[in-house]
Amino acid sequence: MRDVSKSLDIVARDERFIAPSSRSPYYPFAVASGSGSTLRDADGNEYIDFAAGAASLNTGTCHPRIVAAIKEQAERLLCYTIGYMYEESSVELAEKLAQITPGDFPKKTAYGLSGSDAIDGAIKFARKYTGRSGVITFKTAYHGATYGALSASAISLNMRRGIGPMLPGFHHFSYPQCAKCPWHEKPESCSLACLEEIKTAFSLYLPPDEVAAVIIEPIGGDIGLVVPPARWVRELAALCREHGILFVSDEVQQGMGRTGKWFAIEHFGVVPDIIAIAKSLASGMPLSAVVMRAEIADSLRDPGHCITLAANAVCCRAALETIKIIEDENLIEKSVRTGENIKAKLAEMKKALPLLGETRGLGLTIAQEIVDENGEPDRGACAKICYRCWERGLIITFLSDNVLRIQPPLVITDEETERALEILRESIEDYRNGLIGDEVLEFARGWA
Ligand SMILES: Cc1ncc(COP(=O)(O)O)c(C=O)c1O
């Protein structure tokens, strides 16, 4: 077994001094350094990264070009405030974001620091522009931790219990999870009963002309990387258009090339009015962007959405370099290719390992379900397998009880992918052979 004594010491000190509210523990991994798709812990052990900082590291850890851009900018200007000054990198980035986001119309960007504040910003802009207060979001969605984003979310009681009330005006409807369809619809004959729920609300108790926005995750992230049917997304967008409701795509987790397009909503041929971006935007540096139709942006006067450290020049330079790397290294195409390769290898593995259930996803957002002998979700097995992967040198997490979350950096090499899947296979074998004790479940609690 590896020596992880320094890591365990950091974990113990963390538990004494850091609020537990921010962490879902999977294993005592104390990261110290890394490059590309390799991470090193405080004891010097190496791991392959199948988590990419919860999809924040599409260009990998410490890409040399990102590090160089940060160093160069840091020597010139660390901080200014967008509230009172102008600075070129933020303008250049907004120009670039207007190009790479879907929609051939004038756009403007509002900056922030996190996915959560981007969602809060989207809510504010949508309410101000439409003069309406209602916001439609979906059961099982995660949009963030600030009060606006949290009011939009509906995925965990731990996130809400004891801290209410949430913001008023939010209405949560069913997100299509076709494999678990409560209406028992079949894909070939589906009548989109989940969309009907919204239409019924519009006719009975929720005046559509009081709804400002629909906010969707183009792939249901934290519920287990669920890809909705394209028809649902398109018809939802049509319903929005019919009633003058703004369509907001939360691309915080899936954006910046991860799914094989710049933004996941492009898979469905829908052009949103507002896009929220964060995480991988600046390769993990704190930066978010609300990119929207210019007239929506112009509707909110100063200082309606002003965050002192937003659009920090170091972060904007990192974001500009991130976009160039994604273009120069063809990472969008690579994400499709590597994703297909992983899915094919998992399909092969499944032949001998029936506890591998459904595999789904787009590009390098891949969900692998872990099931018991009856095909039912097996959270305990999933948690143990994740823990053993860490012990064997692979960083991978799970969501929604039994879904392995495979979201490596887009720069991962074929050799690293091969080795990571080999570690996953060995860990599953260990589980099948009863070699992973129940004691690991005390630590490997994951998302609750
Ligand atoms: C889809 C989605 N939206 C918003 C957020 C919130 O982003 P942040 O944690 O940067 O505030 C997340 C975070 O996981 C997310 O997955």
Side-chain angles (χ1 to χ4, degrees):
M1 268 303 161
R2 301 164 170 226
D3 174 16
V4 289
S5 49
K6 279 192 194 145
S7 300
L8 293 178
D9 177 56
I10 291 170
V11 171
R13 284 160 54 208
D14 178 300
E15 283 172 357
R16 273 200 299 281
F17 289 103
I18 295 188
S21 53
S22 56
R23 185 172 297 102
S24 305
Y26 292 94
Y27 24 69
F29 175 53
V31 66
S33 63
S35 71
S37 299
T38 300
L39 297 173
R40 252 161 258 108
D41 68 16
D43 299 274
N45 301 303
E46 283 201 354
Y47 303 79
I48 300 174
D49 184 9
F50 253 16
S56 301
L57 294 165
N58 288 2
T59 61
T61 293
C62 293
H63 192 295
R65 284 174 57 181
I66 299 289
V67 174
I70 289 172
K71 278 187 181 161
E72 196 189 316
Q73 180 58 46
E75 280 168 6
R76 276 189 286 143
L77 179 74
L78 271 181
C79 176
Y80 74 103
T81 172
I82 194 165
Y84 309 135
M85 297 171 200
Y86 300 84
E87 194 277 331
E88 194 173 12
S89 69
S90 62
V91 181
E92 248 183 74
L93 180 58
E95 288 166 347
K96 194 71 193 167
L97 289 172
Q99 281 168 21
I100 64 170
T101 48
D104 189 15
F105 40 73
K107 293 175 204 151
K108 288 189 179 177
T109 288
Y111 288 111
L113 302 167
S114 68
S116 303
D117 70 42
I119 296 298
D120 277 39
I123 295 164
K124 280 194 216 167
F125 281 103
R127 283 182 162 173
K128 185 68 172 69
Y129 177 73
T130 59
R132 307 170 176 185
S133 61
V135 178
I136 289 180
T137 63
F138 295 92
K139 292 171 203 163
T140 70
Y142 182 62
H143 293 293
T146 51
Y147 267 101
L150 186 57
S151 303
S153 306
I155 190 169
S156 160
L157 288 181
N158 281 1
M159 281 177 194
R160 285 186 166 228
R161 188 176 271 132
I163 59 159
M166 296 292 122
L167 297 188
F170 286 76
H171 307 272
H172 298 93
F173 290 94
S174 299
Y175 191 80
Q177 286 187 266
C178 300
K180 299 178 186 164
C181 177
W183 295 276
H184 307 291
E185 302 246 37
K186 297 273 165 292
E188 54 288 0
S189 58
C190 175
S191 69
L192 295 182
C194 45
L195 198 66
E196 212 53 45
E197 248 191 5
I198 304 179
K199 292 183 186 168
T200 305
F202 282 176
S203 68
L204 293 179
Y205 65 91
L206 179 58
D209 55 355
E210 293 181 12
V211 176
V214 165
I215 305 177
I216 76 156
E217 289 179 273
I219 293 180
D222 293 343
I223 190 54
L225 309 175
V226 171
V227 184
R231 252 181 76 221
W232 178 81
V233 184
R234 283 202 287 269
E235 295 205 15
L236 179 66
L239 192 65
C240 287
R241 269 196 307 280
E242 184 187 335
H243 294 290
I245 297 167
L246 299 182
F247 188 99
V248 181
S249 186
D250 177 347
E251 299 276 352
V252 169
Q253 186 178 136
Q254 309 302 341
M256 303 303 292
R258 172 151 296 279
T259 67
K261 304 266 185 199
W262 272 112
F263 297 96
I265 196 68
E266 295 173 69
H267 287 283
F268 309 106
V270 165
V271 176
D273 301 293
I274 302 179
I275 295 185
I277 317 168
K279 289 198 191 243
S280 275
L281 171 59
S283 289
M285 297 289 283
L287 182 69
S288 70
V290 187
V291 185
M292 62 202 128
R293 290 179 182 275
E295 66 268 25
I296 301 174
D298 288 338
S299 70
L300 186 60
R301 295 312 315 163
D302 60 287
H305 191 63
C306 177
I307 296 169
T308 306
L309 297 180
N312 172 289
V314 176
C315 297
C316 286
R317 285 284 161 220
L320 283 162
E321 201 58 29
T322 300
I323 293 170
K324 282 194 211 132
I325 292 168
I326 292 174
E327 288 170 341
D328 294 349
E329 298 186 13
N330 296 317
L331 293 185
I332 296 183
E333 295 76 8
K334 187 162 182 292
S335 136
V336 176
R337 213 173 46 249
T338 313
E340 289 311 313
N341 176 24
I342 292 176
K343 281 192 211 160
K345 296 248 159 62
L346 288 169
E348 194 54 39
M349 248 193 241
K350 234 178 252 191
K351 292 179 187 161
L353 296 170
L355 58 71
L356 289 173
E358 188 187 63
T359 313
R360 55 175 177 266
L362 293 170
L364 278 175
T365 275
I366 298 173
Q368 175 58 61
E369 295 208 359
I370 300 294
V371 294
D372 64 16
E373 56 282 3
N374 302 314
E376 295 300 320
D378 194 338
R379 184 186 174 102
C382 196
K384 284 184 174 180
I385 289 165
C386 266
Y387 195 95
R388 182 50 62 99
C389 282
W390 164 71
E391 289 178 313
R392 285 184 170 276
L394 171 65
I395 295 303
I396 187 169
T397 60
F398 66 93
L399 295 162
S400 188
D401 288 343
N402 72 321
V403 180
L404 290 176
R405 176 182 187 175
I406 302 177
Q407 288 185 316
L410 311 188
V411 294
I412 193 165
T413 63
D414 288 346
E415 297 71 40
E416 287 164 329
T417 305
E418 192 78 31
R419 179 67 197 126
L421 291 171
E422 188 52 24
I423 293 174
L424 178 59
R425 198 190 54 71
E426 290 163 359
S427 302
I428 295 173
E429 294 287 5
D430 286 351
Y431 173 76
R432 288 218 311 171
N433 294 328
L435 298 178
I436 314 173
D438 286 346
E439 67 282 356
V440 310
L441 296 177
E442 279 166 37
F443 200 98
R445 296 190 297 281
W447 250 72

